[in-house]
Amino acid sequence: MSDTAAVDELVAELHGVSSKPPRGSTPRYVKAVPPGLQFWAPGAIAVAEYLVRQSKHGSKFDPQVSVSEVAVALELPEEDVRLAVLDLREAGLVEESAELRSEAFWPTSGLFVEFDRHFLDFDMSKMPLRLRTGL
């Protein structure tokens, strides 16, 4: 190694210049937080978006999914999905199965009211109450 290269390396180290290779592409579940969702954990946003997009009817019990199914679909660790479900459950937006050893959970109607406007082309909160409740 020449003196010039050694000096350049020392200067780069002192200034915090990295010789690491460039980073790869960002995982698809890492996204900018949509406006209005900054108070939700990123995992909760990802799980809510999955439920909203997988729902056929936008109503309670649709869809019924498992933690492992969502983890595979979102490429997230199961622990992150469990924490996200806990956040959403505490807010009353999902319910979990009471069966022993079951990982099943599903959205409540409130999840669609809260998240549809962020992930779909319409805002459920602006629809008349009788349409939202199916009366």
Side-chain angles (χ1 to χ4, degrees):
M1 182 186 292
S2 70
D3 290 337
T4 307
V7 170
D8 288 344
E9 189 175 311
L10 178 62
V11 169
E13 187 175 324
L14 291 173
H15 288 284
V17 175
S18 174
S19 60
K20 295 179 182 175
R23 293 183 179 176
S25 60
T26 305
R28 73 177 178 88
Y29 60 84
V30 175
K31 299 179 184 177
V33 176
L37 295 179
Q38 64 271 20
F39 299 111
W40 289 100
I45 295 170
V47 170
E49 181 177 7
Y50 178 80
L51 292 171
V52 165
R53 294 193 185 278
Q54 294 300 311
S55 177
K56 291 184 175 94
H57 306 290
S59 61
K60 185 175 180 175
F61 300 113
D62 174 36
Q64 294 185 29
V65 294
S66 70
V67 169
S68 57
E69 174 186 341
V70 174
V72 168
L74 296 178
E75 299 174 1
L76 285 172
E78 286 189 18
E79 295 78 24
D80 289 357
V81 174
R82 283 189 186 92
L83 286 172
V85 171
L86 180 63
D87 287 346
L88 294 168
R89 189 191 75 205
E90 300 244 336
L93 301 177
V94 298
E95 294 177 351
E96 295 177 281
S97 172
E99 293 179 27
L100 292 176
R101 296 189 179 127
S102 175
E103 293 187 331
F105 66 96
W106 50 85
T108 63
S109 299
L111 181 122
F112 300 106
V113 172
E114 178 71 26
F115 288 101
D116 274 2
R117 67 180 175 265
H118 299 288
F119 306 122
L120 300 177
D121 294 334
F122 61 90
D123 186 350
M124 188 75 159
S125 67
K126 293 181 181 172
M127 294 180 75
L129 180 60
R130 71 174 194 275
L131 290 176
R132 283 189 276 166
T133 58
L135 298 177

